[in-house]
PDB file of all heavy atoms in Angstrom:
ATOM      1  N   ALA A 129       8.232   2.958   7.761  1.00  0.00           N
ATOM      2  CA  ALA A 129       8.967   1.716   7.487  1.00  0.00           C
ATOM      3  C   ALA A 129       8.211   0.858   6.479  1.00  0.00           C
ATOM      4  O   ALA A 129       8.809   0.289   5.559  1.00  0.00           O
ATOM      5  CB  ALA A 129       9.201   0.944   8.784  1.00  0.00           C
ATOM      6  N   LYS A 130       6.889   0.792   6.626  1.00  0.00           N
ATOM      7  CA  LYS A 130       6.083   0.010   5.676  1.00  0.00           C
ATOM      8  C   LYS A 130       6.141   0.630   4.282  1.00  0.00           C
ATOM      9  O   LYS A 130       6.232  -0.088   3.286  1.00  0.00           O
ATOM     10  CB  LYS A 130       4.642  -0.093   6.158  1.00  0.00           C
ATOM     11  CG  LYS A 130       4.479  -1.024   7.334  1.00  0.00           C
ATOM     12  CD  LYS A 130       3.027  -1.078   7.792  1.00  0.00           C
ATOM     13  CE  LYS A 130       2.837  -2.070   8.920  1.00  0.00           C
ATOM     14  NZ  LYS A 130       1.438  -2.121   9.376  1.00  0.00           N
ATOM     15  N   ARG A 131       6.085   1.952   4.224  1.00  0.00           N
ATOM     16  CA  ARG A 131       6.152   2.631   2.931  1.00  0.00           C
ATOM     17  C   ARG A 131       7.514   2.407   2.266  1.00  0.00           C
ATOM     18  O   ARG A 131       7.601   2.111   1.074  1.00  0.00           O
ATOM     19  CB  ARG A 131       5.873   4.126   3.076  1.00  0.00           C
ATOM     20  CG  ARG A 131       5.754   4.823   1.698  1.00  0.00           C
ATOM     21  CD  ARG A 131       5.435   6.297   1.788  1.00  0.00           C
ATOM     22  NE  ARG A 131       6.683   7.005   2.001  1.00  0.00           N
ATOM     23  CZ  ARG A 131       6.905   7.899   2.949  1.00  0.00           C
ATOM     24  NH1 ARG A 131       5.957   8.226   3.782  1.00  0.00           N
ATOM     25  NH2 ARG A 131       8.069   8.485   3.064  1.00  0.00           N
ATOM     26  N   LYS A 132       8.580   2.520   3.051  1.00  0.00           N
ATOM     27  CA  LYS A 132       9.921   2.317   2.493  1.00  0.00           C
ATOM     28  C   LYS A 132      10.102   0.873   2.030  1.00  0.00           C
ATOM     29  O   LYS A 132      10.733   0.625   1.005  1.00  0.00           O
ATOM     30  CB  LYS A 132      10.992   2.710   3.506  1.00  0.00           C
ATOM     31  CG  LYS A 132      11.103   4.205   3.680  1.00  0.00           C
ATOM     32  CD  LYS A 132      12.251   4.569   4.607  1.00  0.00           C
ATOM     33  CE  LYS A 132      12.394   6.063   4.664  1.00  0.00           C
ATOM     34  NZ  LYS A 132      13.777   6.484   4.485  1.00  0.00           N
ATOM     35  N   ARG A 133       9.554  -0.074   2.778  1.00  0.00           N
ATOM     36  CA  ARG A 133       9.623  -1.478   2.356  1.00  0.00           C
ATOM     37  C   ARG A 133       8.894  -1.656   1.032  1.00  0.00           C
ATOM     38  O   ARG A 133       9.402  -2.295   0.105  1.00  0.00           O
ATOM     39  CB  ARG A 133       9.013  -2.388   3.418  1.00  0.00           C
ATOM     40  CG  ARG A 133       8.976  -3.866   2.990  1.00  0.00           C
ATOM     41  CD  ARG A 133       8.248  -4.746   3.958  1.00  0.00           C
ATOM     42  NE  ARG A 133       6.853  -4.341   4.065  1.00  0.00           N
ATOM     43  CZ  ARG A 133       5.974  -4.912   4.863  1.00  0.00           C
ATOM     44  NH1 ARG A 133       6.342  -5.900   5.661  1.00  0.00           N
ATOM     45  NH2 ARG A 133       4.726  -4.503   4.904  1.00  0.00           N
ATOM     46  N   PHE A 134       7.708  -1.057   0.915  1.00  0.00           N
ATOM     47  CA  PHE A 134       6.945  -1.147  -0.326  1.00  0.00           C
ATOM     48  C   PHE A 134       7.720  -0.532  -1.486  1.00  0.00           C
ATOM     49  O   PHE A 134       7.795  -1.112  -2.570  1.00  0.00           O
ATOM     50  CB  PHE A 134       5.584  -0.459  -0.184  1.00  0.00           C
ATOM     51  CG  PHE A 134       4.836  -0.372  -1.482  1.00  0.00           C
ATOM     52  CD1 PHE A 134       4.143  -1.465  -1.973  1.00  0.00           C
ATOM     53  CD2 PHE A 134       4.867   0.797  -2.238  1.00  0.00           C
ATOM     54  CE1 PHE A 134       3.475  -1.393  -3.191  1.00  0.00           C
ATOM     55  CE2 PHE A 134       4.209   0.875  -3.451  1.00  0.00           C
ATOM     56  CZ  PHE A 134       3.508  -0.221  -3.931  1.00  0.00           C
ATOM     57  N   GLU A 135       8.295   0.652  -1.262  1.00  0.00           N
ATOM     58  CA  GLU A 135       9.055   1.325  -2.325  1.00  0.00           C
ATOM     59  C   GLU A 135      10.240   0.484  -2.779  1.00  0.00           C
ATOM     60  O   GLU A 135      10.516   0.391  -3.976  1.00  0.00           O
ATOM     61  CB  GLU A 135       9.530   2.704  -1.843  1.00  0.00           C
ATOM     62  CG  GLU A 135       8.407   3.711  -1.710  1.00  0.00           C
ATOM     63  CD  GLU A 135       8.812   4.995  -1.003  1.00  0.00           C
ATOM     64  OE1 GLU A 135       9.967   5.084  -0.500  1.00  0.00           O
ATOM     65  OE2 GLU A 135       7.977   5.910  -0.930  1.00  0.00           O
ATOM     66  N   LEU A 136      10.933  -0.140  -1.837  1.00  0.00           N
ATOM     67  CA  LEU A 136      12.061  -0.995  -2.185  1.00  0.00           C
ATOM     68  C   LEU A 136      11.597  -2.198  -3.005  1.00  0.00           C
ATOM     69  O   LEU A 136      12.209  -2.543  -4.017  1.00  0.00           O
ATOM     70  CB  LEU A 136      12.779  -1.468  -0.921  1.00  0.00           C
ATOM     71  CG  LEU A 136      14.055  -2.276  -1.125  1.00  0.00           C
ATOM     72  CD1 LEU A 136      15.153  -1.401  -1.729  1.00  0.00           C
ATOM     73  CD2 LEU A 136      14.520  -2.857   0.200  1.00  0.00           C
ATOM     74  N   MET A 137      10.498  -2.805  -2.588  1.00  0.00           N
ATOM     75  CA  MET A 137       9.959  -3.952  -3.321  1.00  0.00           C
ATOM     76  C   MET A 137       9.485  -3.533  -4.711  1.00  0.00           C
ATOM     77  O   MET A 137       9.674  -4.261  -5.688  1.00  0.00           O
ATOM     78  CB  MET A 137       8.819  -4.590  -2.527  1.00  0.00           C
ATOM     79  CG  MET A 137       9.291  -5.283  -1.257  1.00  0.00           C
ATOM     80  SD  MET A 137       7.963  -5.767  -0.121  1.00  0.00           S
ATOM     81  CE  MET A 137       6.967  -6.808  -1.145  1.00  0.00           C
ATOM     82  N   GLU A 138       8.888  -2.368  -4.814  1.00  0.00           N
ATOM     83  CA  GLU A 138       8.402  -1.873  -6.108  1.00  0.00           C
ATOM     84  C   GLU A 138       9.565  -1.572  -7.047  1.00  0.00           C
ATOM     85  O   GLU A 138       9.508  -1.884  -8.237  1.00  0.00           O
ATOM     86  CB  GLU A 138       7.532  -0.625  -5.896  1.00  0.00           C
ATOM     87  CG  GLU A 138       6.911  -0.079  -7.144  1.00  0.00           C
ATOM     88  CD  GLU A 138       5.892  -1.005  -7.816  1.00  0.00           C
ATOM     89  OE1 GLU A 138       5.559  -2.069  -7.263  1.00  0.00           O
ATOM     90  OE2 GLU A 138       5.440  -0.653  -8.913  1.00  0.00           O
ATOM     91  N   GLU A 139      10.640  -0.963  -6.526  1.00  0.00           N
ATOM     92  CA  GLU A 139      11.832  -0.713  -7.346  1.00  0.00           C
ATOM     93  C   GLU A 139      12.405  -2.027  -7.870  1.00  0.00           C
ATOM     94  O   GLU A 139      12.793  -2.120  -9.032  1.00  0.00           O
ATOM     95  CB  GLU A 139      12.899   0.015  -6.528  1.00  0.00           C
ATOM     96  CG  GLU A 139      12.600   1.467  -6.271  1.00  0.00           C
ATOM     97  CD  GLU A 139      13.600   2.111  -5.313  1.00  0.00           C
ATOM     98  OE1 GLU A 139      14.702   1.543  -5.088  1.00  0.00           O
ATOM     99  OE2 GLU A 139      13.277   3.186  -4.780  1.00  0.00           O
ATOM    100  N   LYS A 140      12.449  -3.025  -7.016  1.00  0.00           N
ATOM    101  CA  LYS A 140      12.962  -4.337  -7.422  1.00  0.00           C
ATOM    102  C   LYS A 140      12.076  -4.942  -8.506  1.00  0.00           C
ATOM    103  O   LYS A 140      12.568  -5.485  -9.493  1.00  0.00           O
ATOM    104  CB  LYS A 140      13.022  -5.256  -6.201  1.00  0.00           C
ATOM    105  CG  LYS A 140      13.589  -6.619  -6.488  1.00  0.00           C
ATOM    106  CD  LYS A 140      13.637  -7.466  -5.219  1.00  0.00           C
ATOM    107  CE  LYS A 140      14.140  -8.858  -5.524  1.00  0.00           C
ATOM    108  NZ  LYS A 140      14.128  -9.719  -4.345  1.00  0.00           N
ATOM    109  N   ARG A 141      10.763  -4.837  -8.328  1.00  0.00           N
ATOM    110  CA  ARG A 141       9.824  -5.378  -9.312  1.00  0.00           C
ATOM    111  C   ARG A 141       9.992  -4.682 -10.656  1.00  0.00           C
ATOM    112  O   ARG A 141      10.029  -5.330 -11.705  1.00  0.00           O
ATOM    113  CB  ARG A 141       8.374  -5.220  -8.824  1.00  0.00           C
ATOM    114  CG  ARG A 141       7.351  -5.884  -9.743  1.00  0.00           C
ATOM    115  CD  ARG A 141       5.945  -5.410  -9.463  1.00  0.00           C
ATOM    116  NE  ARG A 141       5.720  -4.010  -9.751  1.00  0.00           N
ATOM    117  CZ  ARG A 141       5.587  -3.495 -10.979  1.00  0.00           C
ATOM    118  NH1 ARG A 141       5.659  -4.247 -12.037  1.00  0.00           N
ATOM    119  NH2 ARG A 141       5.378  -2.198 -11.142  1.00  0.00           N
ATOM    120  N   ILE A 142      10.143  -3.380 -10.641  1.00  0.00           N
ATOM    121  CA  ILE A 142      10.307  -2.614 -11.883  1.00  0.00           C
ATOM    122  C   ILE A 142      11.615  -2.995 -12.575  1.00  0.00           C
ATOM    123  O   ILE A 142      11.641  -3.181 -13.792  1.00  0.00           O
ATOM    124  CB  ILE A 142      10.232  -1.092 -11.602  1.00  0.00           C
ATOM    125  CG1 ILE A 142       8.788  -0.706 -11.253  1.00  0.00           C
ATOM    126  CG2 ILE A 142      10.737  -0.284 -12.793  1.00  0.00           C
ATOM    127  CD1 ILE A 142       8.634   0.702 -10.713  1.00  0.00           C
ATOM    128  N   ARG A 143      12.699  -3.143 -11.791  1.00  0.00           N
ATOM    129  CA  ARG A 143      13.974  -3.567 -12.386  1.00  0.00           C
ATOM    130  C   ARG A 143      13.836  -4.943 -13.031  1.00  0.00           C
ATOM    131  O   ARG A 143      14.353  -5.181 -14.128  1.00  0.00           O
ATOM    132  CB  ARG A 143      15.085  -3.597 -11.334  1.00  0.00           C
ATOM    133  CG  ARG A 143      15.705  -2.245 -11.050  1.00  0.00           C
ATOM    134  CD  ARG A 143      17.005  -2.344 -10.268  1.00  0.00           C
ATOM    135  NE  ARG A 143      16.921  -3.150  -9.061  1.00  0.00           N
ATOM    136  CZ  ARG A 143      16.535  -2.701  -7.868  1.00  0.00           C
ATOM    137  NH1 ARG A 143      16.200  -1.442  -7.726  1.00  0.00           N
ATOM    138  NH2 ARG A 143      16.498  -3.506  -6.826  1.00  0.00           N
ATOM    139  N   GLN A 144      13.133  -5.852 -12.360  1.00  0.00           N
ATOM    140  CA  GLN A 144      12.936  -7.191 -12.915  1.00  0.00           C
ATOM    141  C   GLN A 144      12.095  -7.130 -14.185  1.00  0.00           C
ATOM    142  O   GLN A 144      12.376  -7.837 -15.157  1.00  0.00           O
ATOM    143  CB  GLN A 144      12.256  -8.103 -11.886  1.00  0.00           C
ATOM    144  CG  GLN A 144      13.160  -8.497 -10.744  1.00  0.00           C
ATOM    145  CD  GLN A 144      12.429  -9.266  -9.662  1.00  0.00           C
ATOM    146  OE1 GLN A 144      11.222  -9.136  -9.477  1.00  0.00           O
ATOM    147  NE2 GLN A 144      13.179 -10.075  -8.924  1.00  0.00           N
ATOM    148  N   GLU A 145      11.097  -6.283 -14.198  1.00  0.00           N
ATOM    149  CA  GLU A 145      10.247  -6.130 -15.383  1.00  0.00           C
ATOM    150  C   GLU A 145      11.059  -5.576 -16.555  1.00  0.00           C
ATOM    151  O   GLU A 145      10.933  -6.047 -17.686  1.00  0.00           O
ATOM    152  CB  GLU A 145       9.070  -5.207 -15.062  1.00  0.00           C
ATOM    153  CG  GLU A 145       8.047  -5.119 -16.155  1.00  0.00           C
ATOM    154  CD  GLU A 145       6.847  -4.269 -15.750  1.00  0.00           C
ATOM    155  OE1 GLU A 145       6.307  -4.480 -14.655  1.00  0.00           O
ATOM    156  OE2 GLU A 145       6.480  -3.394 -16.548  1.00  0.00           O
ATOM    157  N   ILE A 146      11.890  -4.594 -16.288  1.00  0.00           N
ATOM    158  CA  ILE A 146      12.738  -4.010 -17.339  1.00  0.00           C
ATOM    159  C   ILE A 146      13.726  -5.052 -17.853  1.00  0.00           C
ATOM    160  O   ILE A 146      13.920  -5.182 -19.069  1.00  0.00           O
ATOM    161  CB  ILE A 146      13.465  -2.748 -16.816  1.00  0.00           C
ATOM    162  CG1 ILE A 146      12.462  -1.610 -16.619  1.00  0.00           C
ATOM    163  CG2 ILE A 146      14.596  -2.325 -17.759  1.00  0.00           C
ATOM    164  CD1 ILE A 146      13.011  -0.417 -15.862  1.00  0.00           C
ATOM    165  N   ASP A 147      14.334  -5.809 -16.939  1.00  0.00           N
ATOM    166  CA  ASP A 147      15.272  -6.860 -17.349  1.00  0.00           C
ATOM    167  C   ASP A 147      14.568  -7.911 -18.204  1.00  0.00           C
ATOM    168  O   ASP A 147      15.118  -8.359 -19.222  1.00  0.00           O
ATOM    169  CB  ASP A 147      15.903  -7.536 -16.125  1.00  0.00           C
ATOM    170  CG  ASP A 147      16.877  -6.630 -15.395  1.00  0.00           C
ATOM    171  OD1 ASP A 147      17.260  -5.572 -15.952  1.00  0.00           O
ATOM    172  OD2 ASP A 147      17.255  -6.979 -14.253  1.00  0.00           O
ATOM    173  N   LEU A 148      13.360  -8.301 -17.821  1.00  0.00           N
ATOM    174  CA  LEU A 148      12.605  -9.281 -18.590  1.00  0.00           C
ATOM    175  C   LEU A 148      12.255  -8.737 -19.970  1.00  0.00           C
ATOM    176  O   LEU A 148      12.405  -9.430 -20.979  1.00  0.00           O
ATOM    177  CB  LEU A 148      11.329  -9.694 -17.842  1.00  0.00           C
ATOM    178  CG  LEU A 148      10.417 -10.685 -18.567  1.00  0.00           C
ATOM    179  CD1 LEU A 148      11.153 -11.992 -18.844  1.00  0.00           C
ATOM    180  CD2 LEU A 148       9.150 -10.936 -17.762  1.00  0.00           C
ATOM    181  N   GLN A 149      11.827  -7.488 -20.030  1.00  0.00           N
ATOM    182  CA  GLN A 149      11.481  -6.873 -21.317  1.00  0.00           C
ATOM    183  C   GLN A 149      12.710  -6.799 -22.225  1.00  0.00           C
ATOM    184  O   GLN A 149      12.628  -7.097 -23.417  1.00  0.00           O
ATOM    185  CB  GLN A 149      10.883  -5.472 -21.111  1.00  0.00           C
ATOM    186  CG  GLN A 149      10.355  -4.845 -22.374  1.00  0.00           C
ATOM    187  CD  GLN A 149       9.177  -5.610 -22.964  1.00  0.00           C
ATOM    188  OE1 GLN A 149       8.270  -5.984 -22.258  1.00  0.00           O
ATOM    189  NE2 GLN A 149       9.210  -5.862 -24.259  1.00  0.00           N
ATOM    190  N   SER A 150      13.845  -6.434 -21.670  1.00  0.00           N
ATOM    191  CA  SER A 150      15.088  -6.382 -22.455  1.00  0.00           C
ATOM    192  C   SER A 150      15.461  -7.771 -22.955  1.00  0.00           C
ATOM    193  O   SER A 150      15.860  -7.935 -24.113  1.00  0.00           O
ATOM    194  CB  SER A 150      16.234  -5.833 -21.610  1.00  0.00           C
ATOM    195  OG  SER A 150      15.988  -4.497 -21.271  1.00  0.00           O
ATOM    196  N   TYR A 151      15.336  -8.761 -22.111  1.00  0.00           N
ATOM    197  CA  TYR A 151      15.638 -10.139 -22.483  1.00  0.00           C
ATOM    198  C   TYR A 151      14.734 -10.584 -23.631  1.00  0.00           C
ATOM    199  O   TYR A 151      15.199 -11.151 -24.622  1.00  0.00           O
ATOM    200  CB  TYR A 151      15.480 -11.051 -21.263  1.00  0.00           C
ATOM    201  CG  TYR A 151      15.641 -12.513 -21.574  1.00  0.00           C
ATOM    202  CD1 TYR A 151      16.896 -13.053 -21.832  1.00  0.00           C
ATOM    203  CD2 TYR A 151      14.533 -13.363 -21.596  1.00  0.00           C
ATOM    204  CE1 TYR A 151      17.047 -14.403 -22.116  1.00  0.00           C
ATOM    205  CE2 TYR A 151      14.676 -14.709 -21.882  1.00  0.00           C
ATOM    206  CZ  TYR A 151      15.937 -15.228 -22.143  1.00  0.00           C
ATOM    207  OH  TYR A 151      16.075 -16.564 -22.420  1.00  0.00           O
ATOM    208  N   LEU A 152      13.435 -10.311 -23.502  1.00  0.00           N
ATOM    209  CA  LEU A 152      12.496 -10.690 -24.560  1.00  0.00           C
ATOM    210  C   LEU A 152      12.793  -9.950 -25.859  1.00  0.00           C
ATOM    211  O   LEU A 152      12.764 -10.546 -26.942  1.00  0.00           O
ATOM    212  CB  LEU A 152      11.051 -10.431 -24.119  1.00  0.00           C
ATOM    213  CG  LEU A 152      10.526 -11.346 -23.013  1.00  0.00           C
ATOM    214  CD1 LEU A 152       9.147 -10.883 -22.558  1.00  0.00           C
ATOM    215  CD2 LEU A 152      10.497 -12.794 -23.469  1.00  0.00           C
ATOM    216  N   ASN A 153      13.090  -8.673 -25.778  1.00  0.00           N
ATOM    217  CA  ASN A 153      13.443  -7.900 -26.977  1.00  0.00           C
ATOM    218  C   ASN A 153      14.690  -8.468 -27.646  1.00  0.00           C
ATOM    219  O   ASN A 153      14.744  -8.567 -28.880  1.00  0.00           O
ATOM    220  CB  ASN A 153      13.652  -6.420 -26.638  1.00  0.00           C
ATOM    221  CG  ASN A 153      12.351  -5.706 -26.346  1.00  0.00           C
ATOM    222  OD1 ASN A 153      11.272  -6.169 -26.723  1.00  0.00           O
ATOM    223  ND2 ASN A 153      12.437  -4.586 -25.658  1.00  0.00           N
ATOM    224  N   ASN A 154      15.673  -8.839 -26.850  1.00  0.00           N
ATOM    225  CA  ASN A 154      16.894  -9.434 -27.410  1.00  0.00           C
ATOM    226  C   ASN A 154      16.597 -10.771 -28.080  1.00  0.00           C
ATOM    227  O   ASN A 154      17.151 -11.072 -29.142  1.00  0.00           O
ATOM    228  CB  ASN A 154      17.959  -9.599 -26.329  1.00  0.00           C
ATOM    229  CG  ASN A 154      18.558  -8.270 -25.906  1.00  0.00           C
ATOM    230  OD1 ASN A 154      18.493  -7.287 -26.634  1.00  0.00           O
ATOM    231  ND2 ASN A 154      19.129  -8.235 -24.715  1.00  0.00           N
ATOM    232  N   LEU A 155      15.725 -11.572 -27.467  1.00  0.00           N
ATOM    233  CA  LEU A 155      15.341 -12.848 -28.083  1.00  0.00           C
ATOM    234  C   LEU A 155      14.636 -12.622 -29.420  1.00  0.00           C
ATOM    235  O   LEU A 155      14.923 -13.314 -30.404  1.00  0.00           O
ATOM    236  CB  LEU A 155      14.422 -13.647 -27.157  1.00  0.00           C
ATOM    237  CG  LEU A 155      15.053 -14.376 -25.986  1.00  0.00           C
ATOM    238  CD1 LEU A 155      13.969 -15.066 -25.150  1.00  0.00           C
ATOM    239  CD2 LEU A 155      16.077 -15.392 -26.459  1.00  0.00           C
ATOM    240  N   ILE A 156      13.718 -11.670 -29.450  1.00  0.00           N
ATOM    241  CA  ILE A 156      12.982 -11.373 -30.687  1.00  0.00           C
ATOM    242  C   ILE A 156      13.936 -10.878 -31.770  1.00  0.00           C
ATOM    243  O   ILE A 156      13.879 -11.318 -32.921  1.00  0.00           O
ATOM    244  CB  ILE A 156      11.859 -10.345 -30.415  1.00  0.00           C
ATOM    245  CG1 ILE A 156      10.762 -10.991 -29.559  1.00  0.00           C
ATOM    246  CG2 ILE A 156      11.284  -9.803 -31.716  1.00  0.00           C
ATOM    247  CD1 ILE A 156       9.780 -10.009 -28.976  1.00  0.00           C
ATOM    248  N   THR A 157      14.840  -9.984 -31.388  1.00  0.00           N
ATOM    249  CA  THR A 157      15.817  -9.453 -32.351  1.00  0.00           C
ATOM    250  C   THR A 157      16.711 -10.577 -32.874  1.00  0.00           C
ATOM    251  O   THR A 157      16.950 -10.669 -34.084  1.00  0.00           O
ATOM    252  CB  THR A 157      16.664  -8.350 -31.698  1.00  0.00           C
ATOM    253  OG1 THR A 157      15.790  -7.310 -31.259  1.00  0.00           O
ATOM    254  CG2 THR A 157      17.687  -7.787 -32.660  1.00  0.00           C
ATOM    255  N   ALA A 158      17.198 -11.411 -31.986  1.00  0.00           N
ATOM    256  CA  ALA A 158      18.068 -12.520 -32.402  1.00  0.00           C
ATOM    257  C   ALA A 158      17.318 -13.489 -33.303  1.00  0.00           C
ATOM    258  O   ALA A 158      17.854 -13.954 -34.311  1.00  0.00           O
ATOM    259  CB  ALA A 158      18.611 -13.237 -31.170  1.00  0.00           C
ATOM    260  N   ASP A 159      16.059 -13.771 -32.964  1.00  0.00           N
ATOM    261  CA  ASP A 159      15.247 -14.682 -33.774  1.00  0.00           C
ATOM    262  C   ASP A 159      14.986 -14.078 -35.154  1.00  0.00           C
ATOM    263  O   ASP A 159      15.081 -14.769 -36.174  1.00  0.00           O
ATOM    264  CB  ASP A 159      13.928 -14.972 -33.045  1.00  0.00           C
ATOM    265  CG  ASP A 159      13.268 -16.247 -33.514  1.00  0.00           C
ATOM    266  OD1 ASP A 159      14.003 -17.197 -33.861  1.00  0.00           O
ATOM    267  OD2 ASP A 159      12.015 -16.293 -33.517  1.00  0.00           O
ATOM    268  N   THR A 160      14.670 -12.793 -35.202  1.00  0.00           N
ATOM    269  CA  THR A 160      14.433 -12.107 -36.472  1.00  0.00           C
ATOM    270  C   THR A 160      15.700 -12.122 -37.320  1.00  0.00           C
ATOM    271  O   THR A 160      15.650 -12.445 -38.509  1.00  0.00           O
ATOM    272  CB  THR A 160      13.990 -10.649 -36.218  1.00  0.00           C
ATOM    273  OG1 THR A 160      12.803 -10.664 -35.431  1.00  0.00           O
ATOM    274  CG2 THR A 160      13.731  -9.912 -37.515  1.00  0.00           C
ATOM    275  N   ASP A 161      16.828 -11.798 -36.709  1.00  0.00           N
ATOM    276  CA  ASP A 161      18.101 -11.794 -37.436  1.00  0.00           C
ATOM    277  C   ASP A 161      18.420 -13.178 -37.990  1.00  0.00           C
ATOM    278  O   ASP A 161      18.880 -13.310 -39.133  1.00  0.00           O
ATOM    279  CB  ASP A 161      19.238 -11.316 -36.537  1.00  0.00           C
ATOM    280  CG  ASP A 161      19.125  -9.840 -36.170  1.00  0.00           C
ATOM    281  OD1 ASP A 161      18.312  -9.127 -36.809  1.00  0.00           O
ATOM    282  OD2 ASP A 161      19.838  -9.412 -35.239  1.00  0.00           O
ATOM    283  N   LYS A 162      18.154 -14.198 -37.215  1.00  0.00           N
ATOM    284  CA  LYS A 162      18.421 -15.571 -37.651  1.00  0.00           C
ATOM    285  C   LYS A 162      17.543 -15.952 -38.842  1.00  0.00           C
ATOM    286  O   LYS A 162      18.021 -16.514 -39.833  1.00  0.00           O
ATOM    287  CB  LYS A 162      18.178 -16.534 -36.489  1.00  0.00           C
ATOM    288  CG  LYS A 162      18.470 -17.972 -36.789  1.00  0.00           C
ATOM    289  CD  LYS A 162      18.218 -18.817 -35.558  1.00  0.00           C
ATOM    290  CE  LYS A 162      18.376 -20.292 -35.872  1.00  0.00           C
ATOM    291  NZ  LYS A 162      18.047 -21.125 -34.707  1.00  0.00           N
TER     292      LYS A 162
END
Side-chain angles (χ1 to χ4, degrees):
K130 287 179 177 180
R131 188 178 84 231
K132 287 185 175 228
R133 176 186 62 182
F134 173 80
E135 289 170 354
L136 185 67
M137 291 168 58
E138 184 65 6
E139 286 173 17
K140 182 179 177 183
R141 186 195 65 75
I142 289 169
R143 278 194 309 274
Q144 288 174 334
E145 187 176 312
I146 290 169
D147 290 347
L148 178 60
Q149 187 64 46
S150 295
Y151 174 74
L152 291 174
N153 287 341
N154 288 339
L155 283 178
I156 291 167
T157 301
D159 201 34
T160 301
D161 292 347
K162 182 179 174 184

